[in-house]
Amino acid sequence: MPLHFPEPTNPKRVTELEIERNALWSGLFCALFGMATALIIFAGERPALFGGLSVGSVASVTGGVSAGLSSAYAFRSLLRQREPWLRRIPAWRQYVAALGLVLVHVASTVMMILVATHLFQQAFIGLRLDVLAGSLAVSGITGLSAYLALVATARTSAENLSVVLGIYMAAGVLISMLLAEDQGWWQGMFSRLGTSQSGMGSFWTFNTTMIISGLVLISFTEFLTRDLDVLSRTYRCRPNLERYPLIRKLRPRPRVVGWCLVAVSVGIIGVGSVPMNLSLGVHSAFVQLASAAMIILLLGTMVLLPGYPAVFHMMSLSAVGALWVAFLLWDSWSYYNLTGFELSAVAILFTWISVFIRTTAAMIRDRQQPRGTHGPGTRSVHRDPAPRTEKPAV
């Protein structure tokens, strides 16, 4: 029997004001934590903005810790109240979803703090702060990190989580490119960034980005599958197609879509966990797993996602064709190298995923809005419908 988080006996609605209030308290407490930590560490020092015992290095630690704690609190006490379906899935899936959200906010916070302080140090070359100014800077950065992490986690949805995932993956891969000691890495393949030959900075950045991105994609899958499940319960075959028995049997398949996305997640985690120089065969197997799952999604949208606009299905098939052309440009026509093909494939797949998410979100919003006509498929769908009372006609 699956374990569950304890279900509150009297669940309450989480308001936007309550989220802001909790975020402000979290920011305040974490700002004090950052101030106290910096005063102790910077005692007798004149810290720089970046490098060594600096504002950036201390703030990245206090900010990352604060972002992680705030994100975990927001998931446990706010998001699960805001999205009641999260409390009904098995406990291990809740823990995996929470882990992905917490890690992406910690990693994004550390990454942004280090990049921002590095840029400011380049703008103010030779600047050093006294103990008070350095501690105030760390305090402000720590408080802001906690505030943003709590707000972002409490308002998590499939749409905004996809944006977070895309930005984080792009930033992580870009930083690993900049840190690569092997300037000719691009003449091979992307996975060379995750090898020790490219330098330890690139090695850790690339592989950590892949592992955390895979965990975030699992969290994203939970939210997207929930949205698809809502759509599947309200799906109605078009009247002009009801005369075809085969068409009438087609229904949305959220579980199949979910398992395909989980396979993609496992493949991405495997790419980061097993670098190509450790075991090329295992590394390639994880890449093929993710690729096969995406191809199944692209080719099967008409069967797995009936009810979506026809132009969406046309785009899915076009994406498969574009991938095939990109493959021929590399393999048969030698127009570019393997890195060029990987860049093309990632661009095509992320474009399709973005359109998929936005289309799903638009369909969900349409079904949440009351309509003026009556008939099949015109009822509105609410996540937590409130009891409705009928007034007597006058």
Side-chain angles (χ1 to χ4, degrees):
M1 185 175 181
L3 298 175
H4 292 271
F5 280 105
E7 183 109 10
T9 54
N10 236 340
K12 61 177 182 177
R13 176 174 171 267
V14 177
T15 63
E16 295 296 320
L17 180 60
E18 186 174 357
I19 292 175
E20 290 296 328
R21 184 169 61 247
N22 279 274
L24 288 172
W25 277 114
S26 177
L28 175 60
F29 287 132
C30 291
L32 295 175
F33 161 67
M35 171 68 83
T37 303
L39 285 173
I40 295 172
I41 294 177
F42 292 155
E45 301 287 339
R46 291 184 60 83
L49 294 177
F50 183 80
L53 196 63
S54 62
V55 170
S57 60
V58 175
S60 65
V61 175
T62 58
V65 170
S66 299
L69 293 175
S70 298
S71 181
Y73 170 79
F75 182 91
R76 178 66 180 84
S77 302
L78 299 175
L79 184 60
R80 291 175 66 250
Q81 294 284 346
R82 192 179 175 90
E83 302 287 348
W85 58 269
L86 272 173
R87 303 195 299 266
R88 295 190 288 269
I89 65 176
W92 68 270
R93 286 169 55 187
Q94 295 186 46
Y95 286 126
V96 172
L99 181 63
L101 290 175
V102 170
L103 287 180
V104 75
H105 286 110
V106 171
S108 300
T109 298
V110 172
M111 191 182 299
M112 288 188 292
I113 291 173
L114 292 176
V115 170
T117 53
H118 176 68
L119 291 176
F120 273 102
Q121 185 66 71
Q122 294 299 313
F124 299 94
I125 297 176
L127 174 65
R128 286 189 172 272
L129 305 177
D130 58 23
V131 175
L132 179 60
S135 301
L136 286 172
V138 171
S139 175
I141 294 172
T142 305
L144 181 62
S145 301
Y147 173 87
L148 293 177
L150 190 144
V151 168
T153 304
R155 293 174 176 155
T156 298
S157 66
E159 196 170 9
N160 60 33
L161 189 55
S162 67
V163 175
V164 172
L165 175 61
I167 294 175
Y168 173 69
M169 283 195 71
V173 172
L174 180 59
I175 291 175
S176 63
M177 291 179 187
L178 297 175
L179 293 175
E181 298 175 5
D182 179 11
Q183 297 182 353
W185 67 266
W186 57 272
Q187 298 175 6
M189 57 188 299
F190 256 122
S191 296
R192 283 181 63 176
L193 292 172
T195 62
S196 56
Q197 287 78 10
S198 293
M200 296 310 295
S202 176
F203 171 83
W204 285 108
T205 303
F206 181 84
N207 292 326
T208 302
T209 299
M210 292 295 105
I211 294 172
I212 295 179
S213 296
L215 290 172
V216 177
L217 187 55
I218 293 176
S219 304
F220 161 77
T221 301
E222 293 286 358
F223 287 86
L224 182 62
T225 305
R226 163 63 181 177
D227 289 345
L228 293 176
D229 187 56
V230 171
L231 290 177
S232 69
R233 292 201 299 267
T234 61
Y235 172 73
R236 297 291 185 276
C237 183
R238 295 179 183 177
N240 59 332
L241 298 177
E242 287 184 347
R243 62 180 181 272
Y244 300 106
L246 180 61
I247 299 296
R248 288 202 307 269
K249 292 180 180 178
L250 290 180
R251 295 195 61 78
R253 304 293 179 184
R255 285 193 176 185
V256 178
V257 175
W259 280 113
C260 286
L261 291 174
V262 168
V264 175
S265 306
V266 172
I268 293 175
I269 293 173
V271 167
S273 302
V274 185
M276 58 178 294
N277 61 333
L278 181 62
S279 176
L280 182 59
V282 175
H283 182 90
S284 300
F286 281 119
V287 173
Q288 293 167 7
L289 173 65
S291 303
M294 285 302 305
I295 294 298
I296 291 173
L297 277 179
L298 292 173
L299 290 176
T301 55
M302 287 185 289
V303 176
L304 301 175
L305 302 168
Y308 276 62
V311 67
F312 172 78
H313 300 306
M314 291 175 59
M315 181 181 177
S316 300
L317 296 177
S318 300
V320 177
L323 286 172
W324 178 246
V325 171
F327 175 77
L328 292 177
L329 287 172
W330 163 61
D331 185 65
S332 300
W333 302 328
S334 301
Y335 182 75
Y336 45 44
N337 61 8
L338 179 56
T339 303
F341 168 66
E342 290 176 326
L343 278 172
S344 303
V346 169
I348 293 168
L349 293 176
F350 262 92
T351 300
W352 178 85
I353 290 174
S354 299
V355 173
F356 175 36
I357 294 162
R358 294 185 65 83
T359 304
T360 304
M363 295 174 71
I364 287 288
R365 285 193 292 268
D366 285 347
R367 280 159 173 74
Q368 289 176 339
Q369 295 173 358
R371 303 186 182 182
T373 57
H374 299 280
T378 60
R379 59 176 180 163
S380 61
V381 176
H382 302 273
R383 293 184 185 269
D384 295 294
R388 305 172 72 181
T389 57
E390 299 290 336
K391 294 184 178 179
V394 178

